[in-house]
DNA sequence: TCAGCGTCATAGGGTTATCCTATGGTTCGC
DNA sequence: GCGAACCATAGGATAACCCTATGACGCTGA
């Protein structure tokens, strides 16, 4: 005897069909069927008479009805009580996200959170991982998602997933084989995140590699937005680098070629929060959602 | 939010420790721990303050308590209701009986059943065979006794006994010899069961005979109760038909004459239940008693 | 009469909850 | 301190749960 079983029973008794109850409970008809069946098997009696017509309560079902109603109502009350007591019933959840979040799951995350906690307002901060990391470190944000590497002083960092960084060009020849750092140094690079320049984590990784090779990277053109950079690349003025998630998104221009790095390069996405801090319920919840949705996307 | 979580919460709140609650609920302490933890995580708030001493309810836990109690109680009631229906130690036995049951054995049946199973409450449904047959067919009733013929779609029908239908009149001359259908067509008929009219089984038998003879039957006066009809007949306004059991009952008015039909007419009493259905113990028992008592009365 | 529709039942599979045992960590009383 | 009592955590087996896909059946309209 579980609450789900009682809920299903009640809804079926109210609406008269399994299918309608399934829609109402946001489940599928076979699930309803199974819940009812299990309850019937548990007690060895039928709750509904499955006639050709519509479902009719058996005497046993009739006897169960008032108790089911009471239990489900009480559980709904319990849920309401807890929900209103938790701070998820108000206030503002503040969370930092890396710039690329659009390409991963941002809108879905916000929709899901808002659906579950409609009373909580959301403030999503973050033009770039650098900014997010600094804000979290300073305590302005409780938590956020960033791309590594970052300056991790005063932060708890939990890597969650990684996404490969690709080289993007309008010329098939320049993207015909994995590129090396020296290829990169020789290329016309169209880079974005002008505001943060070489403090950007992905760029930092590249700069470190270049340093080891004894060469220098510099941007031919720097803009703020990835989309702008990609448009320029599509025009043939130069090449750029983006993570794979960007290349598979809808907005990715036609006619661009991609290739990997000879020594594969990855953006590692991590959750950061202030060392030793306790997250507010709302923030914890959105962090939990974000982590789960990211992990679901792991290859 | 599951019932098990609420049960665990309630028991912990009552007993003050996880371990004690585990013993009481026949589970292990880690299981209780996990159930509580999951509920706390779901809502992002603590339900118990884990002090060094003993557990104390947080305000949130305090708020949850009444709802938890109500939900758990209701579920226990549901369980009891269903469990008792699959045994003879409680619950309600529902059974359908034809209208005339009073004249056969109704009170005796109920007394006997109640004496043997005092914990089972009885709900006897049935103003007329038509109604009982439809309710059983739809699954609202598990079984019942009816007079044939009925529409037997979806029903298992077991004839048990028959009782002759007699013609009743205040005039000795009109009841001096067996009556024919044409006699009937010519008579002032005082009929009962107005609500069901010619769907009533006995009336259907008569109507079919009349059809074969090419004549039509119609009621001069229609009332609901047999007793009313008999009073009117005793006043001489017309004649009626009843089964023999009625004529031998205590309430049968003085001064009325009865005769048989020229072509004898019988009410056949049958047990009906839904095709392929399994009766609950209580219903099976009352059906068994009813059948036995009927058969004992067989001529 | 037969195809189309809506209904519930069943099969198969992936995910999660639940529950266990075993063990670690903390707090209290002696 | 040290044992006792208690809660938390880890790891693993089982069952519940929920899904998609498909089958069976009755109803309905051409």
């Amino acid at each position: 005897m579980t609450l789900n079983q009682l809920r299903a029973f009640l809804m079926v008794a109210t609406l008269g069909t399994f299918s309608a109850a399934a829609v109402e409970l946001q489940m599928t008809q076979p699930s309803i069927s199974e819940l009812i069946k299990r309850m019937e098997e548990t007690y060895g009696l039928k709750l509904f008479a499955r006639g050709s017509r519509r479902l009719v309560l058996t005497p046993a079902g009739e006897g169960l009805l008032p108790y089911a109603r009471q239990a489900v109502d009480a559980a709904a009350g319990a849920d309401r009580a807890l929900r209103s007591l938790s701070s998820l019933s108000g206030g503002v959840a503040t969370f930092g996200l890396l710039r690329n979040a659009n390409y991963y799951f941002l809108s879905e995350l916000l929709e899901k959170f808002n659906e579950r906690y409609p009373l909580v307002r959301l403030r999503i901060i973050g033009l770039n991982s650098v900014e997010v990391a600094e804000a979290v470190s300073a305590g302005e944000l409780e938590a956020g998602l960033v791309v590594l590497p970052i300056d991790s002083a005063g932060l708890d960092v939990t890597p969650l997933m990684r996404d490969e960084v690709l080289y993007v060009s309008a010329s098939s020849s320049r993207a015909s084989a994995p590129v090396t750092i020296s290829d990169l140094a020789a290329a016309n690079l169209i880079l974005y995140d002008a505001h943060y320049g070489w403090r950007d984590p992905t760029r930092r990784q590249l700069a470190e590699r270049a340093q080891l090779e004894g060469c220098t990277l510099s941007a031919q053109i720097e803009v703020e937005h990835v989309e702008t950079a990609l448009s320029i690349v599509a025009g043939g003025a130069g090449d750029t680098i983006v993570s794979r998630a960007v290349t598979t998104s809808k907005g990715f221009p036609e006619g661009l070629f991609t290739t990997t790095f000879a020594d594969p390069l990855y953006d590692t996405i991590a959750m950061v929060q202030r060392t030793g801090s306790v997250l507010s319920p709302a923030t914890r919840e959105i962090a939990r959602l974000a982590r789960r949705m990211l992990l679901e996307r792991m290859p």
Side-chain angles (χ1 to χ4, degrees), chain A:
Chain A
M1 169 92 62
T2 67
L3 267 178
N4 277 344
Q5 289 170 354
L6 291 177
R7 272 192 272 263
F9 167 77
L10 199 57
M11 198 55 79
V12 172
T14 305
L15 298 178
T17 79
F18 283 25
S19 314
V23 170
E24 190 65 24
L25 294 174
Q26 319 237 44
M27 306 202 317
T28 59
Q29 170 266 319
S31 298
I32 302 291
S33 192
E34 187 184 339
L35 287 173
I36 301 293
K37 183 181 175 186
R38 168 148 290 123
M39 201 163 16
E40 289 179 331
E41 283 174 350
T42 302
Y43 292 96
L45 23 87
K46 292 282 177 199
L47 296 172
F48 293 101
R50 277 87 157 168
S52 56
R53 268 299 198 215
R54 84 200 303 259
L55 296 174
V56 180
L57 278 174
T58 61
E62 201 74 57
L64 175 61
L65 199 51
Y67 296 103
R69 187 168 286 129
Q70 195 179 348
V72 170
D73 283 353
D79 184 79
R80 222 176 319 106
L82 288 184
R83 202 176 289 278
S84 74
L85 281 173
S86 93
S87 53
L88 289 184
S89 63
V92 181
T94 312
F95 195 70
L97 285 181
L98 55 142
R99 174 187 36 70
N100 273 357
N102 305 324
Y103 291 106
Y104 293 99
F105 64 110
L106 179 59
S107 60
E108 194 185 335
L109 171 66
L110 301 187
E111 273 169 27
K112 190 170 256 179
F113 185 86
N114 194 56
E115 173 192 331
R116 289 175 65 169
Y117 308 102
L119 297 178
V120 182
R121 272 166 303 165
L122 277 172
R123 203 170 128 247
I124 303 298
I125 296 290
L127 289 171
N128 183 279
S129 294
V130 175
E131 184 191 48
V132 170
E134 285 171 356
V136 171
S137 177
E140 295 162 23
L141 289 177
E142 288 190 273
L145 286 179
V146 299
V147 168
L148 300 184
I150 48 152
D151 185 4
S152 64
L155 293 177
D156 280 348
V157 179
T158 314
L160 294 179
M161 69 164 283
R162 63 179 198 174
D163 194 11
E164 187 165 12
V165 178
L166 302 179
Y167 184 84
V168 181
S169 177
S171 149
S172 63
S173 66
R174 289 206 298 279
S176 59
V179 296
T180 63
I181 288 295
S182 46
D183 291 340
L184 211 60
N188 270 350
L189 289 179
I190 317 293
L191 297 183
Y192 40 91
D193 268 345
H195 186 69
Y196 297 94
W198 292 93
R199 294 196 301 154
D200 175 84
T202 310
R203 289 218 221 171
R204 267 174 62 179
Q205 284 194 77
L206 287 173
E208 283 163 12
R209 288 193 180 184
Q211 200 169 34
L212 291 177
E213 298 280 331
C215 60
T216 316
L217 298 178
S218 63
Q220 181 70 21
I221 304 178
E222 271 194 295
V223 297
E224 282 293 355
H225 302 294
V226 196
E227 297 79 5
T228 317
L230 286 175
S231 302
I232 298 173
V233 171
D239 304 339
T240 191
I241 53 172
V242 297
S243 58
R244 190 183 294 278
V246 175
T247 70
T248 57
S249 74
K250 282 201 297 282
F252 192 67
E254 303 273 328
L256 289 182
F257 302 90
T258 65
T259 184
T260 60
F261 282 79
D263 184 7
L265 184 70
Y266 294 96
D267 273 353
T268 301
I269 296 179
M271 176 84 66
V272 293
Q273 66 185 84
R274 240 165 101 84
T275 309
S277 78
V278 177
L279 299 183
S280 74
T283 303
R284 178 163 359 140
E285 183 59 15
I286 198 170
R288 198 181 63 80
L289 273 182
R291 157 182 286 152
R292 217 182 63 192
M293 293 172 64
L294 261 189
L295 293 180
E296 274 173 12
R297 275 166 185 66
M298 278 278 283

